């Protein structure tokens, strides 16, 4: 034992279960120094963004959404057709432009081209009322996306207010408020959505005539009302749960022990710690709202004709599915792309910002 | 107790939590039941007892982080109430048991330590604030360059130091240390305990030092109070409590201290407690310890023993001692 040298690892005995010391090599000074350096200081936000941009699915869906967004903003400025009117050639309504396949021209248009005029191509063809189908899909996507955003916004506002009141107040107030939530939660939501939109549609339809809101259409408004009445409960539960769990953290007690007033505790300690979860869940709410809207439009309770939405386009395409299958494909692919991208983006946000998943 | 003025005087403190049992029944959980003690300027009182006996609740209730069910707290001779507690927040502080949940993950170290300074407006310029934060970090043995990092970038021991710096920021005269080392490695424990002792010597702060490790408490404190199921069963000078425990519960706690020297350990008789800890919801009649006590007699079943002074400054709650 006297000739023990710490720099030469001892030999492993043949039947020993110990790790073979020869397989290890001593750390170099450089490596040792590396251990001591602390991890680069980053803010929570920057760290989250870095993670988000390293997630290929999230980046891919962001790109897809960006492309869709740019298209639906710019396309109506470039394409010279309207979503509601028949195609016209030299001021005349073109009755021959019915159910054209993509990138084809009607007889009148063909004549105009032969005369040396330029006619903008029908990228997705035309529908049975001689309207350009591309612009209708674009407008449909616009409607679907805005329904998604506004519905989520309504859900966020109602849920945030209701949930934070229940969470802060606690006790009996909390008990009563949460029982109401439980009741709404237990209603079969598809059925309620259908019933509510039928009833609201008629109520709103009469009272809205000749007001500014009429242009949005009673169907669209009743859809927002449905979201406002039914879907906030999930958000309210989430917010309340967050606030309850954060309220009991020791750092909140520490702030109280310092003499911090409730306003300061809410602003500095509670809100910053539940914001990321709330934003993530709002992002995930968007695709579900879009999906519900498409579904309602598909069964004829959604937006009012001639205003298209992806769901109502798919519905009308269904009637002539065998003759013109491409008419179903465009809106269907649109819905899928939008819903999938938002879901993937929401997942990416959660992975990047949820404090519980942080490493 | 004596006529002299104490820094902190807690009298008959009670904290009952309403807990649900079954659908509609509400019961009271007597987490702290009639606890009284005093702490002098610059002194440390150790508070020991097994998990769940109400140590944390004592510390939090006397700071009015929980509203006391009954009892009075006097600080520097003045009665502390729910209304005027704001005036005492600068003098009484707390260091928490869990260094992970006691620091807000969204704030930098500078903001965490600076928050009490902000609340009490203890600076006149940004520079003064930054200087004070750097000073506090150095005081607890951290590098002042760490001020702009987030709490999650630190180890448990470093976080506990941040928690200490935050408590020190307002220059308190009294700190509740709620098991400040129990979540840490043994080697780090020693460092943190030394930090507490250094600070006491430098700044003359009084501590209520909560722990369940008797050796740590003995090292830190002049006096020790032993709690069992929400009550103090024995309180007295640290040396006497460790050297000659009187209450049967204290006796068993002390017999369970691991001995560093194997020779003494071999001759030591270890008292193993039998019986179950009664639920704090269904406290037995009479002495709360009688279900596990070797000396229990008929009297113990009938009446609850009160704290009696058996020697100067030494109180025990037991019928048969
Ligand atoms: N906010 C609360 N509501 C209801 N019961 C509580 C609450 N806080 C503590 N208790 C109960 O009070 C009793 C005492 O708890 P406390 O946290 O004071 O114990 P402790 O002595 O600090 O234990 P430990 O050594 O594990 O920290 C326990 O039975 C606990 O379940
Ligand atoms: S009063 Fe009786 S039961 Fe209680 S500790 Fe003393 S001897 Fe034991
Ligand atoms: Mg505790």
């Amino acid at each position: 034992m006297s000739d023990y040298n710490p720099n030469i690892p001892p030999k492993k005995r043949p039947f020993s279960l110990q790790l073979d010391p020869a397989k290890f090599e001593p750390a170099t000074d450089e490596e040792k120094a590396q251990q001591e350096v602390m991890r680069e200081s980053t803010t929570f936000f920057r760290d989250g963004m870095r993670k988000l941009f390293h997630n290929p699915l999230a980046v891919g869906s962001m790109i897809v959404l960006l492309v869709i967004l740019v298209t639906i903003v710019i396309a109506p400025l470039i394409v010279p057709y309207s979503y509601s009117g028949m195609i016209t050639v030299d001021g005349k309504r073109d009755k021959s432009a019915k159910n054209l396949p993509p990138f084809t021209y009607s007889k009148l248009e063909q004549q105009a081209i032969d005369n040396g005029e330029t006619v903008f191509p029908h990228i997705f063809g035309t529908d049975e009322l001689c309207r350009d189908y591309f612009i209708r899909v674009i407008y449909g996507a616009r409607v679907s996306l805005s329904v998604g955003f506004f519905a989520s916004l309504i859900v966020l506002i109602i849920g945030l207010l209701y949930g934070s009141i229940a969470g802060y107040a606690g006790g009996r107030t909390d008990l009563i408020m949460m029982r109401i939530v439980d009741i709404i939660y237990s209603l079969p939501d598809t059925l309620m959505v259908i019933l509510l939109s039928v009833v609201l549609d008629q109520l709103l339809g009469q009272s809205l005539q000749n007001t500014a809101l009429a242009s949005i259409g009673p169907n669209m408004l009743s859809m927002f009302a449905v979201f406002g009445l039914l879907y906030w409960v999930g958000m309210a539960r989430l917010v309340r749960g967050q606030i309850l769990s954060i309220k009991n953290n020791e750092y909140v007690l520490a702030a109280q022990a310092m003499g911090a007033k409730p306003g300061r505790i809410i602003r500095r300690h509670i809100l910053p710690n539940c914001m990321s979860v709330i934003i993530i869940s709002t992002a995930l709410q968007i695709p579900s709202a879009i999906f519900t809207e498409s579904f309602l439009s598909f069964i004829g309770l959604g937006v009012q004709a001639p205003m298209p939405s992806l769901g109502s386009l798919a519905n009308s395409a269904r009637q002539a599915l065998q003759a013109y299958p491409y008419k179903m494909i465009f809106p269907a692919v649109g819905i899928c792309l939008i819903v999938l991208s938002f879901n993937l983006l929401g997942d990416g946000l959660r992975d990047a910002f949820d404090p519980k998943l942080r490493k | 107790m004596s006529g002299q003025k104490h820094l902190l005087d807690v009298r008959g403190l009670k904290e009952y939590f309403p807990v649900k049992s079954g659908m509609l029944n509400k019961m009271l959980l007597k987490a702290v039941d009639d606890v009284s003690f005093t702490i002098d300027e610059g002194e440390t009182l150790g508070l020991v007892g097994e998990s769940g006996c109400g140590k944390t609740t004592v510390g939090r209730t006397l700071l009015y982080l929980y509203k006391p069910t009954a009892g009075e707290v006097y600080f520097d001779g003045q009665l502390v109430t729910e209304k005027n507690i704001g005036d005492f927040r600068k003098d009484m502080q707390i260091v928490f048991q869990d260094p992970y949940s006691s620091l807000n993950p969204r704030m930098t170290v500078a903001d965490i330590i600076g928050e009490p300074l902000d609340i009490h407006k203890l600076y006149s310029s940004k520079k003064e604030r930054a200087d004070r934060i750097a000073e506090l970090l150095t005081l607890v043995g951290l590098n002042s360059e760490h001020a702009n990092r987030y709490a999650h970038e630190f180890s448990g021991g470093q976080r506990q130091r941040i928690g200490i710096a935050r408590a020190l920021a307002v220059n308190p005269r009294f700190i509740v240390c709620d098991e400040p080392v129990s979540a840490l490695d043994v080697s780090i424990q020693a460092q943190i305990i030394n930090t507490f002792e250094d600070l006491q010597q430098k700044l003359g702060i009084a501590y209520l030092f909560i722990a369940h490790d008797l050796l740590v408490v003995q090292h830190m404190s002049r006096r020790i109070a032993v709690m069992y199921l929400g009550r103090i069963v024995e309180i007295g000078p640290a040396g006497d409590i460790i050297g000659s425990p009187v209450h049967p519960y204290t006796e068993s706690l002390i017999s369970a201290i691991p001995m560093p020297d194997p020779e003494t350990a071999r001759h030591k008789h270890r008292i193993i407690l039998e019986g179950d800890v009664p639920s704090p919801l269904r406290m037995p009649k009479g002495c709360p310890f009688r279900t596990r006590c070797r000396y229990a007699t008929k009297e113990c079943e009938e009446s609850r023993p009160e704290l009696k002074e058996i020697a100067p400054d030494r109180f025990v709650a037991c019928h048969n001692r």
Side-chain angles (χ1 to χ4, degrees):
Chain A
M1 274 293 140
S2 57
D3 51 18
Y4 169 71
N5 182 347
N7 291 324
I8 299 171
K11 275 225 166 67
K12 179 182 180 312
R13 311 228 161 142
F15 295 109
S16 158
L17 287 174
Q18 276 176 349
L19 295 172
D20 186 356
K23 284 187 182 151
F24 291 81
E25 55 181 80
T28 62
D29 286 341
E30 201 181 313
E31 281 163 341
K32 280 182 198 157
Q34 229 165 32
Q35 288 281 308
E36 276 156 27
V37 176
M38 283 187 88
R39 180 170 139 190
E40 185 78 27
S41 175
T42 54
T43 68
F44 185 83
F45 181 74
R46 239 190 294 152
D47 197 30
M49 280 319 230
R50 189 186 52 83
K51 267 197 211 154
L52 189 65
F53 282 105
H54 276 83
N55 179 345
L57 280 178
V59 174
S61 52
M62 268 190 280
I63 293 171
V64 170
L65 285 175
L66 208 69
V67 169
I68 293 177
L69 211 67
V70 169
T71 318
I72 63 174
V73 170
I74 292 180
L77 304 176
I78 298 172
V79 180
Y81 304 113
S82 91
Y83 71 86
S84 54
M86 237 185 203
I87 292 163
T88 54
V89 179
D90 300 330
K92 267 190 285 162
R93 296 164 94 211
D94 182 3
K95 287 226 177 73
S96 59
K98 195 171 168 183
N99 288 331
L100 291 176
F103 289 106
T104 50
Y105 297 100
S106 67
K107 278 189 202 119
L108 277 179
E109 281 170 339
Q110 205 59 55
Q111 283 170 10
I113 292 169
D114 294 342
N115 291 342
E117 288 173 43
T118 48
V119 173
F120 199 86
H122 304 297
I123 301 171
F124 290 172
T126 60
D127 70 359
E128 74 279 3
L129 293 176
C130 312
R131 294 175 295 200
D132 184 72
Y133 202 55
F134 177 68
I135 202 75
R136 281 185 67 75
V137 171
I138 291 294
Y139 269 91
R142 263 189 174 190
V143 168
S144 294
L145 275 175
S146 43
V147 168
F149 277 115
F150 284 112
S152 309
L153 202 66
I154 293 171
V155 166
L156 176 69
I157 292 169
I158 299 178
L160 194 64
L161 283 177
Y162 195 94
S164 36
I165 291 171
Y168 285 130
R172 192 169 293 263
T173 327
D174 179 35
L175 195 82
I176 294 170
M177 288 176 88
M178 286 340 266
R179 286 305 81 73
I180 296 174
V181 164
D182 287 345
I183 292 170
I184 297 180
Y185 210 81
S186 64
L187 297 174
D189 55 353
T190 316
L191 190 66
M192 287 307 294
V193 165
I194 295 170
L195 288 177
L196 269 175
S197 25
V198 172
V199 174
L200 282 173
D201 225 17
Q202 299 201 326
L203 286 178
L204 286 172
Q206 283 148 14
S207 57
L208 275 182
Q209 256 151 33
N210 307 325
T211 60
L213 287 173
S215 62
I216 307 177
N219 272 359
M220 196 100 138
L221 285 175
S222 70
M223 206 135 58
F224 289 146
V226 165
F227 282 108
L229 286 173
L230 284 182
Y231 287 128
W232 58 271
V233 287
M235 182 62 81
R237 274 188 170 177
L238 181 91
V239 171
R240 169 181 172 273
Q242 283 287 313
I243 285 177
L244 276 186
S245 74
I246 291 167
K247 210 169 70 168
N248 288 330
N249 259 319
E250 281 180 349
Y251 56 79
V252 174
L253 278 181
Q256 274 166 10
M258 283 173 222
K261 301 252 153 35
R264 184 187 181 89
I265 292 177
I266 294 168
R267 247 184 316 117
R268 304 270 314 181
H269 296 282
I270 295 183
L271 279 185
N273 279 292
C274 60
M275 236 32 217
S276 59
V277 176
I278 291 169
I279 290 171
I280 293 159
S281 127
T282 308
L284 287 172
Q285 182 77 49
I286 295 174
S288 113
I290 290 174
F291 193 81
T292 309
E293 181 277 332
S294 303
F295 156 73
L296 280 179
S297 300
F298 188 80
I299 60 174
L301 291 169
V303 295
Q304 211 107 7
M307 176 77 84
S309 94
L310 292 178
S312 64
L313 287 175
N315 183 32
S316 42
R318 193 175 47 113
Q319 289 147 10
L321 187 59
Q322 265 153 6
Y324 313 106
Y326 60 90
K327 281 204 210 162
M328 182 61 124
I329 289 170
F330 297 125
V333 168
I335 295 173
C336 291
L337 268 183
I338 292 174
V339 172
L340 188 68
S341 311
F342 269 114
N343 272 322
L344 289 176
L345 181 61
D347 280 346
L349 279 174
R350 184 172 51 211
D351 291 347
F353 286 104
D354 193 336
K356 287 194 202 83
L357 295 172
R358 288 173 66 80
K359 284 171 207 110
Chain B
M1 297 177 190
S2 66
Q4 112 203 53
K5 205 169 111 183
H6 302 287
L7 179 68
L8 184 80
D9 189 346
V10 177
R11 294 187 196 161
L13 195 69
K14 292 183 184 173
E15 179 66 58
Y16 296 171
F17 292 115
V19 288
K20 268 190 223 129
S21 65
M23 274 297 278
L24 296 166
N25 284 20
K26 272 213 180 129
M27 288 177 85
L28 286 179
L29 189 151
K30 300 185 176 178
V32 173
D33 202 7
D34 203 2
V35 162
S36 306
F37 56 85
T38 61
I39 299 177
D40 291 335
E41 195 92 47
E43 186 206 26
T44 303
L45 173 70
L47 185 61
V48 291
E50 61 199 335
S51 189
C53 70
K55 307 180 296 292
T56 299
T57 313
V58 168
R60 292 185 180 176
T61 310
L62 74 87
L63 292 178
Y64 276 76
L65 296 177
Y66 299 151
K67 190 178 173 339
T69 311
E72 286 132 36
V73 178
Y74 292 88
F75 187 81
D76 214 6
Q78 279 175 278
L79 179 67
V80 182
T81 62
E82 212 179 351
K83 286 223 175 69
N84 71 2
I85 178 68
D87 306 340
F88 295 95
R89 291 286 185 217
K90 263 187 69 182
D91 293 316
M92 302 199 272
Q93 277 298 317
I94 179 165
V95 173
F96 288 94
Q97 184 167 359
D98 180 358
Y100 292 89
S101 83
S102 60
L103 303 178
N104 186 340
R106 293 300 163 79
M107 285 165 82
T108 62
V109 171
D111 283 337
I112 289 171
I113 301 176
E115 187 165 28
L117 303 174
D118 297 341
I119 291 169
H120 297 284
K121 310 212 166 43
L122 295 179
Y123 54 87
S124 50
S125 67
K126 273 222 161 102
K127 174 148 190 331
E128 208 181 314
R129 181 177 185 267
D131 288 349
R132 174 79 177 131
I133 291 167
E135 183 195 346
L136 284 163
L137 282 172
T138 326
L139 194 63
V140 296
L142 286 174
N143 190 335
S144 57
E145 281 155 23
H146 289 165
N148 290 323
R149 291 174 182 278
Y150 282 79
H152 67 83
E153 300 172 43
F154 292 88
S155 69
Q158 288 173 316
R159 283 162 171 249
Q160 200 55 288
R161 288 172 194 271
I162 297 169
I164 299 170
R166 171 175 64 187
L168 290 175
V170 290
N171 283 323
R173 293 162 69 192
F174 167 66
I175 300 182
V176 174
C177 309
D178 185 3
E179 304 198 36
V181 295
S182 64
L184 308 175
D185 275 347
V186 182
S187 58
I188 315 255
Q189 282 189 2
Q191 291 175 14
I192 299 280
I193 286 171
N194 288 338
T195 310
F196 274 113
E197 289 196 311
D198 288 351
L199 290 170
Q200 188 165 47
Q201 268 161 25
K202 268 191 227 157
L203 309 170
I205 306 170
Y207 295 134
L208 173 66
F209 197 91
I210 302 173
H212 48 227
D213 183 343
L214 264 170
L215 281 180
V216 168
V217 170
Q218 182 199 11
H219 179 76
M220 284 289 296
S221 339
R222 191 171 72 78
R223 288 186 306 136
I224 293 180
V226 181
M227 267 186 94
Y228 185 74
L229 280 181
R231 293 161 201 269
I232 291 183
V233 294
E234 180 163 8
I235 179 167
D240 296 358
I241 298 251
I242 304 287
S244 55
V246 172
H247 194 280
Y249 177 62
T250 321
E251 206 178 22
S252 70
L253 277 186
I254 291 181
S255 77
I257 299 177
M259 284 290 157
D261 174 15
E263 200 50 41
T264 25
R266 194 163 305 143
H267 296 295
K268 206 174 85 151
H269 176 64
R270 183 150 179 219
I271 305 167
I272 294 169
L273 284 180
E274 283 169 11
D276 295 326
V277 192
S279 149
L281 281 173
R282 278 177 214 81
M283 212 75 92
K285 197 168 161 282
C287 174
F289 189 56
R290 74 179 160 82
T291 52
R292 300 162 84 191
C293 182
R294 301 193 292 160
Y295 309 102
T297 56
K298 193 111 189 79
E299 195 188 2
C300 308
E301 279 175 40
E302 273 147 21
S303 69
R304 206 183 78 200
E306 297 295 328
L307 274 177
K308 289 181 306 232
E309 188 158 17
I310 56 155
D313 206 21
R314 182 97 192 261
F315 296 82
V316 176
C318 176
H319 288 307
N320 301 331
R321 288 299 168 117

